[in-house]
Amino acid sequence: ILGGFDPLLVVLALVLLIGDRCILLETMTAFTVAHSITLAAATLGLVRVSPQPVETVIALSIVFLAVEIVKGPRDSLTWRRPVVVASSFGLLHGFGFAAALREVGLPDGGLLAALLGFNLGIEAGQIVFAAVLYGSFAMLGRRMRQGAMAAGMQRIAGYGIGSLAGYWAIARFLG
């Protein structure tokens, strides 16, 4: 997971969107389960997709999350049911993971064990990264007033995530 910044930006966006640790864990797990489905389907040759459009749409999914962060809490599907949105995006990201896994190479034997290990590694990496972010944000929250300043920092982070993901979307589209 540390070699690919897309999933890390998704986790960062989810941490910024979801304050409750249990809902965050549930949402990240739903993201992993969803990408496991499409990763397995693509790796086993059941589905074939072109990497360039998939990578572009993956970047756009991160832009979407960034817009949600910038707009702030409101009555939208992302804020009400982040699990649904993360699962949908996880399906897309699975195709991206499949392309990355193909580049690394797959073992001749034990393909299912390799897929399981890969997915467990992604989930563990996401949880560790989220825990570090969550702890860092909690420490920062103690040092600054909650409310306007915290919301402002969240918006700035949303703009940063959106700008980076927007750049990736353009680069991948033209790429």
Side-chain angles (χ1 to χ4, degrees):
I1 193 169
L2 293 177
F5 291 107
D6 293 8
L8 295 177
L9 272 187
V10 169
V11 171
L12 173 58
L14 292 175
V15 168
L16 291 170
L17 284 166
I18 304 167
D20 183 273
R21 289 182 300 231
C22 291
I23 294 172
L24 177 63
L25 182 61
E26 176 186 342
T27 302
M28 289 186 335
T29 301
F31 176 76
T32 301
V33 168
H35 78 63
S36 298
I37 293 166
T38 50
L39 170 64
T43 302
L44 297 172
L46 302 174
V47 178
R48 295 217 182 268
V49 294
S50 178
Q52 183 183 9
V54 166
E55 291 297 327
T56 302
V57 174
I58 286 171
L60 290 173
S61 72
I62 298 169
V63 170
F64 175 86
L65 291 175
V67 169
E68 290 291 313
I69 292 166
V70 169
K71 287 186 173 183
R74 61 193 196 296
D75 190 30
S76 71
L77 182 63
T78 305
W79 289 92
R80 281 190 328 259
R81 296 293 300 151
V83 170
V84 173
V85 174
S87 296
S88 301
F89 290 162
L91 293 171
L92 288 169
H93 286 247
F95 291 123
F97 285 135
L101 195 55
R102 275 193 298 274
E103 286 179 18
V104 173
L106 295 167
D108 292 334
L111 180 62
L112 293 179
L115 283 173
L116 179 63
F118 182 80
N119 281 313
L120 290 175
I122 293 287
E123 179 72 0
Q126 289 177 162
I127 291 169
V128 168
F129 186 63
V132 168
L133 289 172
Y134 203 89
S136 299
F137 292 156
M139 287 181 1
L140 283 173
R142 284 187 219 127
R143 293 182 184 244
M144 61 183 186
R145 288 187 338 264
Q146 295 296 332
M149 186 178 282
M153 295 299 287
Q154 186 171 355
R155 287 182 75 173
I156 289 170
Y159 281 118
I161 292 167
S163 297
L164 182 57
Y167 169 77
W168 287 344
I170 293 167
R172 291 169 182 179
F173 179 76
L174 297 175

